[in-house]
Amino acid sequence: MQTMLTVPVTLRKKACINLWSAPNMDVESFHYHVDGDGEEIVGLADRYGVLGSGRAAIFSGGFVKGIGPTPLVNEERHFYSTGSLIITDAVMEVIYLEAIDRLVDNAIKPLMLSLTDVMEEINLESAIDAGYDLDDVPLDRKIDHGALLGREIPTRIAHIYPLELNRQEIIEYLVSHNPDIADDKYCFVIQKFLIKVANILAVLFINRFSVGTTAISNFSIHGVPFDTASSSFLRDFRNCWIASGKIPVWEENKVILNDLTSYTVDFLGIYDVDDIDGSVEMIDETYEKIDQIWEDALHRVSLLMLGLTLEEIDCFEKEAVLPIQKAIIGYLQEGTIDYDLYDGDIADWRAPKWVGLHFDEELPALVAERKQTSFAPLNEAFSDFNFTFTDEHVERCKMITASRLPLTNVPTLELKLRNLRNVDGNIDFEGYRSVIDEAFLYMDEIFPKDENKN
């Protein structure tokens, strides 16, 4: 079955300087751009949703972003019609793609990142929506160095739409990429797919990764997020980070799952009003189950906070571990406050809004020494939890509870990158490389690579 529709886009060789690449990458093969001036090749911009890749194309065995406007560009949105990618977003995306790949299977891996020789306009759409006068915004907040980002070629959930498939073909498309969700009934195929996506999102969330967007076009056919420049690692579960669209972080993934259900069931046409029994069953087994699907996924992965592996967690009887799972979630949520981290598009990291949940100290001590935490329900549930923890569990507990501050996009990562901007065009190559190197080294400590992972 065809996986996506594409349109050709003419590219020419462009002078670029590589900042980072995966091992054994032929980086030069990705240095092409709509406005290049060297040899010519033809790339393929992929159609998904209503339009598709307006600034990216498939060529040289990868998906390259920032190549200039393609025939699929959205001309109605100024900041999305330039075809550009800025280095600040590109660096964060490489770091988050790498982190996601270390945490879940079937992730889209980053391949390379290079600087172009031009300055590009920064997307200030959210600042305009917040009422800012762009004449008052400093120049170094309006432009940034241009970049090309190469990653593995994603097959998106949103690639289904322009293929104009019927109900059976949509189900076959999903199952062909996810054989584990096969079922005789449409409703259970969709439900199993939602469970799969929920489990992925739960693993990322319990590692304090906030997707930061609910666009279905930014999820692979396996349910793994990418296009992650707006994502973030949370400093703390209790800070209730507000994602794009002002969604509290504890609600973000339920919104994503609801959007995914609406997209597949309603927008793509799985729901059939002429089939009353099937329609009622679809509602019962999809829309009515979203909250429970997410709750089950979150409960399951909560035990990662104590250093258990998913394999160990799945060996427990569900009812036997539910009290400790609920206690962990309650501990992480206790004292959560609601606030908007962003004022327009400008984060105020100086405001005293962080509650400070000391799980990096309390949970390893609980696992290693059974030392009481500040949350009585967790202490009680842990005392009743019949499991023998090893030194390996303690070490994994220390890693998952360790600070994510070096990887958060605000205030550390984004500020580091913003300070490297030079509107005169002088580029601090080593500065950008050091940001990437530091993030990758920190990931080696808290998200060590599993060479056996798919």
Side-chain angles (χ1 to χ4, degrees), residues 1 32 101 107 164 223 263 288 302 373 381 391 395:
M1 180 181 292
Y32 287 84
D101 181 50
E164 299 182 348
Y263 184 81
E288 299 298 326
S302 65
T373 71
D391 291 341
E395 289 306 308

Side-chain angles (χ1 to χ4, degrees), residues 207-208 234-235 305 359-361 364 395-406 442 445-447:
N207 278 280
R208 276 171 281 160
L234 305 171
R235 291 170 61 173
M305 294 295 287
F359 48 74
D360 56 331
E361 300 170 5
E395 289 306 308
R396 286 195 295 267
C397 178
K398 288 179 179 178
M399 285 191 290
I400 199 168
T401 60
S403 170
R404 299 295 187 259
L405 188 58
Y442 194 70
E445 296 180 19
I446 62 174
F447 307 140

Side-chain angles (χ1 to χ4, degrees), residues 86-357:
I86 59 172
I87 189 62
T88 297
D89 287 350
V91 168
M92 288 195 290
E93 187 162 342
V94 164
I95 291 169
Y96 294 149
L97 286 175
E98 175 68 18
I100 293 170
D101 181 50
R102 295 184 184 211
L103 291 169
V104 300
D105 291 335
N106 298 311
I108 306 300
K109 298 178 177 63
L111 302 178
M112 55 73 65
L113 172 60
S114 295
L115 277 159
T116 63
D117 57 357
V118 296
M119 298 295 286
E120 301 284 10
E121 196 173 10
I122 294 173
N123 182 355
L124 296 177
E125 197 169 60
S126 59
I128 293 174
D129 292 342
Y132 280 85
D133 184 345
L134 296 191
D135 290 337
D136 296 333
V137 178
L139 184 61
D140 64 355
R141 296 299 308 276
K142 293 181 180 178
I143 60 174
D144 199 355
H145 304 293
L148 293 177
L149 167 66
R151 64 190 184 207
E152 291 183 331
I153 302 169
T155 300
R156 307 171 189 256
I157 296 171
H159 278 136
I160 297 175
Y161 173 70
L163 292 175
E164 299 182 348
L165 306 179
N166 60 38
R167 284 201 301 167
Q168 183 62 41
E169 289 170 333
I170 293 169
I171 293 297
E172 290 173 356
Y173 187 99
L174 288 171
V175 171
S176 68
H177 290 281
N178 304 278
D180 50 312
I181 70 171
D183 198 279
D184 291 336
K185 290 190 174 183
Y186 294 156
C187 62
F188 291 124
V189 171
I190 302 302
Q191 184 186 115
K192 288 178 181 179
F193 185 57
L194 294 171
I195 292 170
K196 183 172 186 173
V197 177
N199 285 333
I200 291 168
L201 292 175
V203 169
L204 295 175
F205 180 69
I206 213 68
N207 278 280
R208 276 171 281 160
F209 185 81
S210 172
V211 175
T213 178
T214 57
I216 299 306
S217 60
N218 294 341
F219 280 79
S220 77
I221 196 64
H222 297 108
V224 182
F226 58 98
D227 279 333
T228 54
S230 64
S231 303
S232 179
F233 277 96
L234 305 171
R235 291 170 61 173
D236 194 327
F237 286 99
R238 288 188 184 175
N239 62 13
C240 206
W241 185 80
I242 305 298
S244 59
K246 303 192 184 303
I247 303 164
V249 72
W250 282 101
E251 301 298 321
E252 181 183 54
N253 291 313
K254 282 197 291 187
V255 173
I256 290 172
L257 292 170
N258 270 302
D259 285 352
L260 177 58
T261 307
S262 297
Y263 184 81
T264 54
V265 175
D266 289 328
F267 187 72
L268 294 179
I270 298 294
Y271 184 90
D272 185 359
V273 294
D274 294 327
D275 177 9
I276 300 300
D277 291 339
S279 297
V280 170
E281 192 172 31
M282 181 66 74
I283 293 171
D284 288 344
E285 299 300 338
T286 54
Y287 287 105
E288 299 298 326
K289 295 289 179 67
I290 294 299
D291 286 358
Q292 189 63 53
I293 286 172
W294 173 243
E295 185 176 294
D296 289 346
L298 189 57
H299 281 151
R300 171 177 176 255
V301 302
S302 65
L303 288 171
L304 293 174
M305 294 295 287
L306 302 184
L308 278 76
T309 65
L310 290 176
E311 291 75 17
E312 290 172 325
I313 293 169
D314 289 339
C315 289
F316 290 112
E317 291 290 334
K318 183 177 178 179
E319 292 304 315
V321 292
L322 190 56
I324 184 69
Q325 291 170 331
K326 287 184 175 180
I328 293 170
I329 299 302
Y331 170 70
L332 298 177
Q333 287 182 305
E334 176 71 11
T336 294
I337 56 175
D338 292 341
Y339 66 86
D340 190 347
L341 180 62
Y342 289 96
D343 179 17
D345 72 324
I346 302 172
D348 184 3
W349 56 86
R350 295 157 296 187
K353 297 173 179 175
W354 308 103
V355 174
L357 180 61

Side-chain angles (χ1 to χ4, degrees), residues 60-71:
S60 301
F63 181 92
V64 185
K65 192 173 178 180
I67 60 164
T70 77

